[in-house]
Amino acid sequence: MAAAQPWVAPTDTNPWVAATAVMFGTLMVFVDTTVVNLSLPYMAGSLSASINESTWALTSYLAANAIVLPITGWLANYVGRKRLLMLSLSTFTISSLLCGLAPNLQLLVLFRVIQGLTGGAMQPISQAILLESFPPRDRGKAMGFWSLGIITAPIAGPLIGGWLTQSYSWRWVFLINIPIGIVAITMVQLYIFDPVYIRRATTRVDVRGILLLGLGIGALQVVLDRGQDEDWFDSRLIIGLLVIGGLAIAVFVYRSLTIEHPVADLRVFRDRTFAVGSLLSAMIGFLLYASIVILPLLLQTLLGYPPLRAGLIIVARALGSMIAFPIVGAIATRVDPRRLLILGLALGALTMFWFAHFDLDLSGHTLFWPQFIQGIALGLLFIPLTTITMSTIPNREMGNAASLFNVTRNFGSSIGIAVVATVLQRQRTVHRTLLGEHITPFDPLARDRLDLLEAAFATSGSDPVTATDQAQAALAALVERQAGILAFLDAFRLLGWIFLLMIPLAMLMRRPDLDD
């Protein structure tokens, strides 16, 4: 790929005003990725659906989001970037209202699909506008501002969702988007303009490419979201979707590399820095969302924390990010950003191995410092990674590159959630079996614990037979909790090793030239 052209301001708008305008929409999209997680049981009860059925409110959003991301660059050229952004914001806001008013699960899922399609388009457009609006020397600050939303929004989503659901209704999880959407629409209309090099595409629409991409990504997204519930490869549905998705993506890649005007130009991956950066983006998305899922589960399922309190404990990570992002953004263009990236990976590994040494006696206070440091690590990861990855991309190719860069992160996120859910389930079974082998009448420790429990229940008034039954049930519950914490520790160790394995990849990226 040719070297990036000298930077020229795309419009006369103050870049920080443009950054603020696009940030409102970005925040809505990322919050809505996780905001419904804690509201699913309430939705199920209100809409006369099962918990398993209600998860389609989450799956449908993620699948639709993933489908539209790769073609956003092409869509922006086809209808105009500002027009697409306005259309996406307006439709996202209206569909949020419809989600809040949905009378049944079927309509809720339909409106969530519309949310996902329009929200997916906003992510790469916002990033492209930011990167183009600032000169290379200031892009670190700009990405610090934008990345803060990427990090804090998924963390804040469960907290906001839990509070709104407990205090008001699950419907306010969606209705809260309406005033934010109105502000975003107004600011984009007033302050965002298409640069002169954005021209509406006059080429023929690659309908086959769009259909192949939608089929492939949609099928693979459903595989990742439903795989654990369907027991992965023991399910004909999962195997079928995997084959369909894999074939569709393979044909799409071949088509994109052989036709003149593909809907997503994959030739950008010929640039080594962009290709490695996109791979690292997928892996960071994997780690970020896996850790976002795993900590609330640990707090709620093993420690018995209510949703709101669990969300408050996780805020420590957001605090670390809020401190780190402005600092990293300010220095990202003054030092080699690869060093910051490697430092962030090392700190991320440190925090995961720190988590892996906890036990059932941990408290919310114990979790503060590793989470806070992890927030700092994320600040050291997102800004340098984006700065390096996009440093060789010419402005006129920024929309396509930003779309593909966001695809890798979002798909990595879905893989991370699927993998950590599977690891927790499988390792819990393994540890339960291993621990259960020692719970026999011939094991002195097990016999002593059972005798103590029987005596305790007998003292509380139970007859001998009932006390024995209660003691056995209590001992089984202790084994289940211990198996649970051991599974979580295994997952933390896995994430820590992935952080370490990413360090050699970071060394393959070229140092960017950030002069104007």
Side-chain angles (χ1 to χ4, degrees):
M1 178 177 291
Q5 300 173 354
W7 182 83
V8 178
T11 68
D12 295 331
T13 303
N14 184 296
W16 286 109
V17 174
T20 304
V22 298
M23 178 55 76
F24 279 100
T26 302
L27 286 172
M28 281 199 303
V29 172
F30 281 105
V31 166
D32 269 55
T33 304
T34 57
V35 74
V36 302
N37 289 9
L38 298 179
S39 305
L40 291 178
Y42 300 90
M43 291 180 187
S46 175
L47 300 176
S48 301
S50 68
I51 297 293
N52 193 49
E53 290 172 336
S54 70
T55 59
W56 282 104
L58 178 60
T59 302
S60 59
Y61 178 87
L62 293 173
N65 200 278
I67 289 171
V68 79
L69 269 172
I71 66 173
T72 302
W74 172 81
L75 282 173
N77 286 334
Y78 193 77
V79 304
R81 180 182 290 169
K82 178 175 180 176
R83 185 176 299 175
L84 178 61
L85 185 55
M86 287 290 292
L87 178 63
S88 298
L89 281 168
S90 302
T91 310
F92 190 93
T93 304
I94 294 171
S95 59
S96 295
L97 172 63
L98 295 175
C99 284
L101 300 176
N104 54 56
L105 182 64
Q106 291 77 15
L107 285 176
L108 176 61
V109 170
L110 172 63
F111 299 143
R112 285 287 282 173
V113 169
I114 298 173
Q115 265 195 325
L117 290 173
T118 54
M122 283 191 271
Q123 299 176 45
I125 293 177
S126 299
Q127 190 175 44
I129 290 172
L130 274 181
L131 290 169
E132 293 172 358
S133 299
F134 288 83
R137 68 172 182 271
D138 291 332
R139 284 179 179 171
K141 299 176 184 177
M143 291 316 302
F145 179 70
W146 191 77
S147 299
L148 188 59
I150 295 178
I151 297 298
T152 57
I155 297 171
L159 180 61
I160 295 171
W163 175 68
L164 288 173
T165 301
Q166 287 185 14
S167 302
Y168 301 98
S169 164
W170 65 265
R171 297 184 183 276
W172 279 100
V173 167
F174 302 109
L175 298 177
I176 194 68
N177 287 332
I178 297 172
I180 301 173
I182 292 173
V183 172
I185 293 168
T186 303
M187 292 196 69
V188 168
Q189 176 63 34
L190 293 175
Y191 301 115
I192 300 298
F193 304 95
D194 286 348
V196 294
Y197 47 79
I198 294 292
R199 295 284 185 268
R200 290 190 62 182
T202 57
T203 55
R204 194 172 177 180
V205 178
D206 181 19
V207 177
R208 292 181 183 177
I210 294 174
L211 293 176
L212 284 169
L213 184 65
L215 177 63
I217 290 185
L220 294 179
Q221 184 70 48
V222 173
V223 167
L224 292 171
D225 292 338
R226 307 293 298 176
Q228 175 59 31
D229 293 335
E230 300 290 337
D231 203 18
W232 293 106
F233 300 114
D234 288 334
S235 166
R236 292 183 179 180
L237 172 65
I238 294 300
I239 293 175
L241 288 173
L242 191 60
V243 172
I244 292 171
L247 288 175
I249 291 296
V251 176
F252 170 77
V253 170
Y254 175 78
R255 181 178 179 82
S256 297
L257 294 175
T258 54
I259 67 173
E260 186 176 358
H261 299 290
V263 70
D265 190 356
L266 303 182
R267 299 176 184 91
V268 69
F269 287 106
R270 292 174 180 172
D271 183 286
R272 186 185 76 188
T273 296
F274 181 82
V276 174
S278 297
L279 176 59
L280 287 172
S281 175
M283 296 176 75
I284 290 174
F286 178 110
L287 294 165
L288 172 63
Y289 277 82
S291 59
I292 286 175
V293 167
I294 197 172
L295 277 174
L297 281 175
L298 172 62
L299 292 171
Q300 294 181 74
T301 60
L302 290 183
L303 302 183
Y305 284 31
L308 188 56
R309 187 181 176 193
L312 287 171
I313 290 174
I314 297 171
V315 168
R317 184 188 303 176
L319 293 176
S321 295
M322 291 175 66
I323 293 173
F325 274 111
I327 297 173
V328 176
I331 66 174
T333 53
R334 299 179 186 177
V335 300
D336 187 344
R338 294 174 300 178
R339 295 182 180 179
L340 299 176
L341 183 59
I342 291 171
L343 177 59
L345 292 171
L347 285 178
L350 171 67
T351 58
M352 288 301 173
F353 289 125
W354 193 343
F355 285 135
H357 284 86
F358 288 146
D359 55 32
L360 287 169
D361 293 327
L362 68 91
S363 65
H365 299 292
T366 310
L367 289 170
F368 178 85
W369 285 112
Q371 283 197 96
F372 182 79
I373 294 173
Q374 192 174 79
I376 294 174
L378 293 173
L380 289 164
L381 292 175
F382 271 88
I383 300 172
L385 179 60
T386 306
T387 302
I388 299 170
T389 305
M390 297 300 201
S391 63
T392 56
I393 306 298
N395 272 3
R396 65 182 62 253
E397 297 180 27
M398 195 68 76
N400 176 69
S403 297
L404 295 174
F405 185 68
N406 279 275
V407 167
T408 58
R409 188 190 64 248
N410 280 34
F411 207 62
S413 303
S414 297
I415 295 173
I417 294 171
V419 168
V420 77
T422 301
V423 168
L424 289 176
Q425 183 65 34
R426 301 295 168 89
Q427 290 303 106
R428 183 189 289 262
T429 301
V430 169
H431 289 299
R432 184 192 302 119
T433 301
L434 292 174
L435 292 172
E437 292 176 355
H438 299 281
I439 309 301
T440 69
F442 308 104
D443 187 288
L445 292 177
R447 185 67 256 174
D448 289 344
R449 176 59 65 91
L450 195 60
D451 289 341
L452 288 173
L453 290 171
E454 287 180 0
F457 286 117
T459 302
S460 65
S462 299
D463 62 76
V465 175
T466 303
T468 299
D469 292 340
Q470 290 174 325
Q472 291 174 345
L475 189 58
L478 288 173
V479 170
E480 186 66 30
R481 289 192 74 215
Q482 191 63 41
I485 190 63
L486 291 173
F488 277 103
L489 300 186
D490 288 342
F492 285 128
R493 274 189 287 269
L494 172 65
L495 298 180
W497 281 112
I498 293 175
F499 265 118
L500 289 179
L501 292 173
M502 291 166 63
I503 292 177
L505 288 175
M507 297 176 180
L508 294 176
M509 304 177 77
R510 298 185 183 94
R511 179 174 181 171
D513 180 8
L514 298 176
D515 295 329
D516 291 355

